[in-house]
Amino acid sequence: MISEVNRLYRKTDISIKVEEVSSDPVTRLAMSIRELKSEVVANYQGHEDVTDLVFLFRKILYKITTGLLDYNEILRSEDKDELRASLSLAHKSYPSLFDAHLKKVGNSLKSVLETEGNPLIERVIDSINDQRFEMRDMSVAVVTKKSLIEEERYRVASHLRLTTSVSFFTENGFRVDTEDYDKVIYIGSPNHCGMYATNTFKSESVTFITYDFYDNSFVKRETLNRFGEDRSISTVYEDVEIEQPSMRKKTLLMPPTMEPSELLNRFIMKAQKENQDEDPELIEAMVVYLENNHFIFIPRDVKMKTLTSEGEVNDTKVESIDEGSYIIVRNKSESKLIGEVADEFFLKDRRDEFRDLQLKWKERLIESIKEYGVDRFSYLLRTKHSITYANPIIIKTWIKEETIAPRAIEKLLPALKYDEAEIEETLIATKEIRSAHLKAGRLISKSIMDAISPEMIEIVKERGFHTFESEEFTDVTFNIERVIYIDNEVREVATSQLMKLYKLI
């Protein structure tokens, strides 16, 4: 390990270059968005729908200036539909703003999306194929903030010399990679790519490729401050030649400039606004930030399936998950999947009998809540039946489909006016269902482990995520996601938002 770290800081001549690309349509789009943003800041503070539209344009500009497809292929149909709907609403609600600024942005974007080709991908390919690098078996790392889709990788790889090997990384994946390369190419400005990119060099040739209207100056970000002549200093930039871009005045910082916490708060506020007419059940959860601007709400004390770099699957409490580790997320309700597997593989012929008994006590519980009211009934359970934890929120969770039974089921059934025979029959069903769910959980874990291969782990290391499926279960996919960091702040979120992957931007 020490030798690997030492290689990254070895004394050797290093060449750093910032290469700029230009596109008149994209420059016009960027300038029109800047003008729109200035107008909104000056005259439309507090108008969330307008602010959201500016944010949407910024997202689109970010996709265009980091994408490695032709301009007319970068935006998905969902992006275009969202944009049309937002512009149509703004045209009706803010006609003056629309005529003065939004129309200009829309026309600029239309011009970009009708343009074939993309100078960014052309420059990336030319930089890799630079004839000054005559070595055979040349290795190149292409590093991006977000992982490239398969088509983008193919566009690059299909235009390279036969002796060139290219590895694609996200910024976080590249940080933990221990290899060094003949050339490293970052998509974005040095400021955008961050401190690691500007002070840890895994190649003698480092190139940043970005659009010319951004602030692309290379600022030396030293890992040790200069203390003085007689004390230790940083040697990161000794023997490093930096070729800066032109120093003409730049007008934009590369987006997005919002911090993840700010983006998360936007998401939560928007969700609350959309659900303001509902009374959702709130659960304490932690926010886990993942690669590629994903995040997930995980309830406190819940165990997640985690994956080691060696391919071992473990159950780890969310509070104990390490940054840089991998979690496995089912792209389907976890409890629903376990229930389906339990029914099919373990309960089998007695599935309907046991599930009917489970449904019966829940229906009686609903009737009691309607008769007494949830507050009154919870009071009766606590005082008359010694179920001390039976508060209204807990009682509502018992009704949910994924709940097998409360731990005080033996005390609850008499409160629901069950006779002894019904109690015994229901307790047997509950025991069998619980046992089947535990077995189902173990079977799913085994199936995941059997499906994971060394090749899959390498993909995850590069991209930060991977979607795979198990041969044992039909129509079920899993995601492996790299953890960037865990927010220690506990938030109350609706149960419907738990254990689902969301995008920050």
Side-chain angles (χ1 to χ4, degrees), residues 165-330:
S165 170
V166 177
S167 298
F168 298 93
F169 293 94
T170 64
E171 177 189 296
N172 296 292
F174 191 60
R175 185 179 293 120
V176 298
D177 181 58
T178 57
E179 299 297 320
D180 52 3
Y181 298 86
D182 298 313
K183 187 166 192 174
V184 174
I185 296 175
Y186 289 94
I187 307 300
S189 66
N191 180 65
H192 174 70
C193 294
M195 184 176 291
Y196 184 85
T198 57
N199 65 22
T200 305
F201 311 120
K202 298 181 180 181
S203 168
E204 295 177 15
S205 173
V206 179
T207 302
F208 296 85
I209 304 180
T210 179
Y211 278 78
D212 59 359
F213 50 77
Y214 289 131
D215 179 359
N216 298 321
S217 57
F218 188 100
V219 178
K220 296 181 179 181
R221 305 176 185 276
E222 306 202 12
T223 53
L224 295 174
N225 291 326
R226 295 185 178 274
F227 295 122
E229 294 297 327
D230 57 342
R231 308 178 82 172
S232 53
I233 62 171
S234 171
T235 60
V236 168
Y237 296 104
E238 287 188 11
D239 302 312
V240 174
E241 179 185 354
I242 301 172
E243 186 178 325
Q244 294 275 26
S246 61
M247 297 306 291
R248 65 185 176 83
K249 185 179 180 181
K250 302 302 175 67
T251 52
L252 289 175
L253 287 175
M254 193 166 190
T257 56
M258 284 186 166
E259 292 295 320
S261 58
E262 186 179 355
L263 293 167
L264 178 68
N265 288 335
R266 285 176 60 89
F267 172 88
I268 292 174
M269 288 175 63
K270 186 176 180 181
Q272 289 173 344
K273 190 174 181 180
E274 291 173 350
N275 300 321
Q276 61 185 356
D277 296 331
E278 301 178 11
D279 183 23
E281 178 194 346
L282 300 179
I283 298 292
E284 288 189 341
M286 300 178 72
V287 183
V288 178
Y289 291 91
L290 307 168
E291 188 71 88
N292 296 300
N293 288 318
H294 283 158
F295 71 94
I296 185 172
F297 294 114
I298 303 178
R300 294 178 66 187
D301 299 323
V302 163
K303 287 187 176 181
M304 291 290 296
K305 294 221 173 333
T306 56
L307 177 69
T308 67
S309 57
E310 291 76 33
E312 182 181 348
V313 178
N314 299 308
D315 290 314
T316 309
K317 277 192 175 183
V318 60
E319 293 87 349
S320 302
I321 294 175
D322 295 324
E323 295 178 5
S325 61
Y326 303 96
I327 62 172
I328 300 174
V329 183
R330 299 183 180 106

Side-chain angles (χ1 to χ4, degrees), residues 71-88:
Y71 289 144
N72 56 8
E73 299 175 309
I74 285 178
L75 287 195
R76 302 170 303 172
S77 58
E78 307 94 272
D79 298 321
K80 295 177 182 178
D81 290 343
E82 182 183 4
L83 182 58
R84 288 191 194 100
S86 298
L87 283 174
S88 176

Side-chain angles (χ1 to χ4, degrees), residues 24 134 138 141 237 261 264 273 280 307 406 436 446 451 461 475:
D24 289 340
E134 295 294 343
M138 178 177 167
Y237 296 104
S261 58
L264 178 68
K273 190 174 181 180
L307 177 69
K446 182 179 181 301
K461 286 180 180 178
D475 300 324

Side-chain angles (χ1 to χ4, degrees), residues 323-454:
E323 295 178 5
S325 61
Y326 303 96
I327 62 172
I328 300 174
V329 183
R330 299 183 180 106
N331 293 326
K332 189 175 187 178
S333 166
E334 180 175 7
S335 55
K336 186 173 182 180
L337 174 60
I338 289 177
E340 290 173 356
V341 173
D343 288 350
E344 181 179 352
F345 289 85
F346 301 105
L347 295 180
K348 297 181 179 178
D349 295 341
R350 304 199 70 180
R351 173 187 61 193
D352 292 341
E353 174 192 352
F354 290 152
R355 294 296 185 189
D356 286 345
L357 288 168
Q358 185 185 47
L359 181 61
K360 183 179 177 183
W361 71 257
K362 292 189 180 188
E363 289 174 343
R364 285 207 192 179
L365 176 59
I366 292 171
E367 291 171 3
S368 296
I369 292 172
K370 288 180 179 178
E371 180 180 354
Y372 295 100
V374 67
D375 292 326
R376 174 65 179 165
F377 189 62
S378 68
Y379 174 77
L380 292 174
L381 291 179
R382 292 196 305 272
T383 56
K384 289 189 63 175
H385 299 278
S386 303
I387 307 179
T388 56
Y389 65 95
N391 62 53
I393 293 178
I394 292 291
I395 291 174
K396 288 179 181 178
T397 65
W398 296 346
I399 301 169
K400 292 184 178 297
E401 181 183 356
E402 60 266 23
T403 300
I404 297 173
R407 62 178 183 269
I409 183 72
E410 294 182 39
K411 295 179 180 179
L412 176 63
L413 294 178
L416 299 177
K417 300 176 183 176
Y418 268 57
D419 60 33
E420 289 188 8
E422 289 175 318
I423 291 173
E424 182 178 359
E425 190 178 36
T426 303
L427 290 178
I428 290 172
T430 299
K431 181 180 178 182
E432 292 296 326
I433 292 172
R434 278 180 174 152
S435 175
H437 277 234
L438 287 171
K439 292 175 182 176
R442 289 194 289 269
L443 179 60
I444 292 168
S445 295
K446 182 179 181 301
S447 177
I448 292 173
M449 291 185 70
D450 291 343
I452 292 173
S453 64

